Every structure is written in C-alpha cells, then in structure tokens.
C-alpha cells in the first residue's frame, strides 16, 4: 500500500507516518519548498519516507505529487491550523483550508478516482454550538475564519464523494495534543511554560480565557482513527473525541502540579490572548466511530498533559 500525506511535518502528519510505516505502507509526504525546512518531527523516520515538493496553493504541483507517488490513500492534513492566525490572515487561511482541499480532491478525480481520500475536518466548525455534545448531525456555526474555511473543506469533501463516487471521508477531530504540538497552541504553551518556570527560565505565564472548555485527546489515538476511516467498508463522516471536556485552568492545574507547583501563583490572564469571538464549550460524541469502527481513545487527558510536561522538561533541560 502507498499513502500520501500532505502536512507530514506537522504533529498529526508525523504520528500518522509512523503508524503507516509500522503497517508496512510506502509513505510519501508532500512538503513545501522553503529556504528553511523544519523536519524535526519526522527526523527519526526520514530515511523511511519519500518526501516530494508540492503546495496546496498550486494545482499543478499537487497533480505532479499525485502522479509521482501513485497513492492508494491520500491524507490531507496540510492547513493553516492556528485559529488566532486566521483572523490576521483570513484570505490565506481560506486558500489553504478551503480551496486547497478542492485542489487535492480535483487531482484525485483527474488522476485516479479509486484513491481513498481523508480530509482533516475540525471541531472548530461547530463554533457557537447548537447542542452539547456535538455529533456528526450537529449544525455548524463557525466562529473564526479557520472554522469557516474548514466547513468549506468538509462540505467539498462530501460533495466530491457524492458527485464523483470517490471514497472521501471527513474526520471531525476535536482538539488533540502531544509533545509534538507547536508552541503557539495553548496546551503546549502551558506545558512548556510550566517547565520553564520550574527550571528557573521564566517567572510567569500569560494566557487568555482560562474558563474556555475543550475536549482534548491524544494525537496518537486520533491518527489511528484516520487510518481506520479509510479501512471502513464505506466512506462517511466521523466525530473523533474523548467525550470529556476540560477547562484551560484545569490543564494548568495538572501541568503545574505535576511539577509540584500551584499554577495560580504563576499564571496571569492577558486580554491580548482572548479571541474576538470565543468558542465556549466543545464536547464531542464519538459514538458513531465507536460503533462503526470500534475506535476508542487509549491515552487519558491527565496522562497526555503529564507526557507533554515531561517532554518539555527533558527538552529544556538539555539546552
């Protein structure tokens, strides 16, 4: 089996590449040509990967990548994935997260309609939630340019599935984290901040809304769900979530207490980090995925936070 992963250098791309290599796949990864390339997350498996240059903004390059890799499965994980940036760069976010999806699907349609396609949809599509918990049938009400673009990407995937008989699935993944999460995301910002304070490298940690609630899971569990969706007998949409929500403040408490500290002494709120339109509570119901595919999360929220803190302590301790 051959798989093509767009966004292979990201958190999810690196975990998915590991999983597919373990399963005996030949793995191709699409990367953008930059003057400074960051392959840190895939360095340990680089010799087992085929990296090919392409860009979601360039239709011809995507066609070239599909022709070169001749994949059985395509996992479209590449995106502008940081929600706050989507307010500052809404047009670029739309180009990547909406039209970029169409370009990959169009390449699949033109090259080989038997290719199975996975689209990385997001719980941010629910935004101002119509119901709690959210399922595959919950209406979308996105509250950021990122969420809006992801809704387009989601529905264009459904459209190509129904119009061209392409095996195209949409994974509506709720927040998922790991030691490989980028430092700009609040989870990693907290675990890195706690480690810095413990090691005497910082004194305070500035955050936004501590009461915001999210359904956080472990990235390794969630990429397993992506693979399972493409092995399912028929293409569908699947919510992937833990079914438990936690506040940002709770995440702080676990991270700091793991290092024998009280977060209230170190965490300060800064209005600069509060979103223009907040998403208050995201809580997913993954019953459909559990019933249809037998998927279950294996790593708990607390285990994941402690894993991230330990990793950041190790990284910063070596510097």
């Amino acid at each position: 089996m051959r798989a093509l992963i767009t966004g292979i250098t990201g958190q999810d791309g690196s975990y998915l590449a590991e999983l597919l290599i373990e399963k005996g796949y030949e793995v191709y990864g699409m990367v953008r040509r930059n003057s400074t390339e960051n392959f840190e997350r895939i360095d340990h498996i680089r010799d087992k990967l085929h990296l090919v240059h392409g860009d979601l903004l360039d239709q011809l390059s995507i066609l070239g990548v599909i022709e070169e890799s001749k994949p059985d499965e395509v996992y479209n994980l590449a995106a502008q994935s940081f929600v706050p940036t989507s307010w500052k760069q809404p047009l670029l976010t739309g180009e990547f997260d909406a039209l970029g999806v169409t370009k990959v699907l169009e390449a699949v349609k033109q090259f080989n309609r038997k290719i199975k396609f996975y689209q990385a949809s997001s719980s941010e599509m629910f935004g101002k939630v119509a119901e709690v918990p959210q399922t595959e049938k919950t209406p979308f009400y996105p509250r950021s340019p990122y969420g809006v673009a992801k809704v387009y990407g989601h529905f264009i995937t459904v459209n190509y599935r129904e119009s061209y008989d392409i095996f195209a699935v949409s994974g509506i993944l709720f927040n998922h984290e790991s030691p490989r999460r980028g430092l700009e995301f609040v989870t990693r910002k907290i675990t890195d901040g706690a480690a810095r304070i413990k090691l005497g490298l910082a004194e305070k940690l500035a955050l936004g809304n501590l009461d915001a609630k999210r359904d956080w899971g472990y990235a390794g569990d969630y990429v397993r769900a992506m693979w399972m969706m493409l092995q399912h007998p028929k293409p569908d949409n699947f919510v992937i979530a833990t079914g438990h929500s936690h506040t940002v403040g709770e995440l702080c408490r676990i991270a700091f207490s793991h290092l024998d500290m009280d977060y209230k002494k170190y965490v300060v709120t800064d209005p600069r980090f509060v979103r223009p339109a907040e998403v208050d509570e995201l809580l997913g119901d993954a019953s459909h995925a559990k019933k249809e595919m037998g998927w279950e999360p294996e790593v708990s929220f607390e285990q994941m936070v402690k894993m991230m803190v330990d990793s950041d302590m190790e990284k910063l301790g070596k510097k």
Side-chain angles (χ1 to χ4, degrees):
M1 291 288 285
R2 286 184 171 203
L4 170 65
I5 303 171
T6 73
I8 195 167
T9 59
Q11 170 189 256
D12 291 6
S14 64
Y15 280 111
L16 179 61
E18 282 179 350
L19 177 75
L20 295 179
I21 288 167
E22 283 172 18
K23 293 185 178 296
Y25 278 65
E26 192 171 351
V27 179
Y28 287 76
M30 188 176 93
V31 293
R32 299 179 78 195
R33 192 179 291 281
N34 287 317
S35 54
T36 55
E37 295 178 320
N38 183 6
F39 297 135
E40 182 187 349
R41 295 185 181 99
I42 56 170
D43 268 344
H44 61 296
I45 52 171
R46 182 92 182 266
D47 60 336
K48 298 174 183 173
L49 300 170
H50 305 281
L51 298 182
V52 285
H53 287 103
D55 196 313
L56 284 186
L57 304 184
D58 180 1
Q59 178 76 70
L60 284 176
S61 76
I62 297 169
L63 269 168
V65 167
I66 297 273
E67 285 177 357
E68 183 177 343
S69 57
K70 297 180 177 58
D72 300 291
E73 299 173 355
V74 172
Y75 296 86
N76 185 41
L77 310 187
Q80 191 298 101
S81 59
F82 189 45
V83 176
T85 297
S86 73
W87 276 288
K88 294 176 180 174
Q89 296 182 298
L91 298 179
L92 186 69
T93 300
E95 289 279 357
F96 276 120
D97 300 4
L99 293 179
V101 184
T102 315
K103 288 171 184 170
V104 181
L105 280 164
E106 191 61 22
V108 167
K109 185 189 92 176
Q110 289 188 37
F111 183 72
N112 179 6
R113 295 188 188 186
K114 289 188 167 54
I115 294 171
K116 293 184 176 182
F117 176 84
Y118 172 86
Q119 167 58 15
S121 288
S122 167
S123 59
E124 289 286 332
M125 300 188 305
F126 295 118
K128 190 175 182 180
V129 297
E131 61 183 0
V132 179
Q134 295 91 52
T135 71
E136 292 80 6
K137 294 190 168 89
T138 303
F140 299 136
Y141 194 146
R143 298 268 279 172
S144 67
Y146 171 81
V148 172
K150 280 292 185 179
V151 170
Y152 178 104
H154 173 82
F155 278 122
I156 202 69
T157 300
V158 174
N159 194 263
Y160 270 67
R161 176 168 79 215
E162 295 176 351
S163 303
Y164 302 114
D165 196 28
I166 292 171
F167 193 111
V169 307
S170 181
I172 308 172
L173 272 55
F174 279 64
N175 295 63
H176 46 287
E177 318 296 324
S178 75
R180 297 180 197 170
R181 189 51 130 166
L183 282 166
E184 68 273 24
F185 291 86
V186 69
T187 45
R188 183 74 194 292
K189 188 176 178 182
I190 290 167
T191 61
D192 175 79
R196 286 179 184 277
I197 290 167
K198 183 68 175 180
L199 294 168
L201 302 173
E203 295 179 357
K204 297 289 180 184
L205 174 62
L207 298 172
N209 180 11
L210 297 184
D211 296 322
K213 288 183 175 179
R214 294 290 183 275
D215 182 333
W216 276 298
Y218 173 57
D221 287 336
Y222 285 41
V223 300
R224 178 166 41 87
M226 296 175 188
W227 175 78
M228 291 172 80
M229 286 179 216
L230 291 194
Q231 315 318 309
H232 195 58
K234 66 181 197 304
D236 204 349
N237 305 326
F238 291 96
V239 163
I240 301 298
T242 69
H244 303 282
S245 69
H246 305 272
T247 65
V248 174
E250 194 178 344
L251 200 156
C252 289
R253 179 185 60 76
I254 294 170
F256 278 80
S257 64
H258 186 51
L259 299 175
D260 300 316
M261 296 187 293
D262 179 0
Y263 81 93
K264 292 177 182 175
K265 293 179 181 176
Y266 306 100
V267 173
V268 294
T269 53
D270 187 329
R272 288 180 304 157
F273 300 122
V274 177
R275 295 180 178 186
E278 183 57 87
V279 174
D280 297 313
E281 181 171 12
L282 291 174
L283 179 65
D285 178 356
S287 300
H288 182 52
K290 291 175 183 178
K291 180 185 174 188
E292 290 291 318
M293 304 189 298
W295 177 83
E296 291 277 356
E298 294 175 358
V299 177
S300 73
F301 174 69
E302 194 161 327
Q303 286 173 322
M304 179 192 72
V305 175
K306 289 178 178 177
M307 181 196 306
M308 292 172 70
V309 171
D310 289 342
S311 172
D312 282 323
M313 283 292 288
E314 185 183 351
K315 281 178 187 166
L316 291 166
K318 289 177 179 175
K319 288 184 179 178

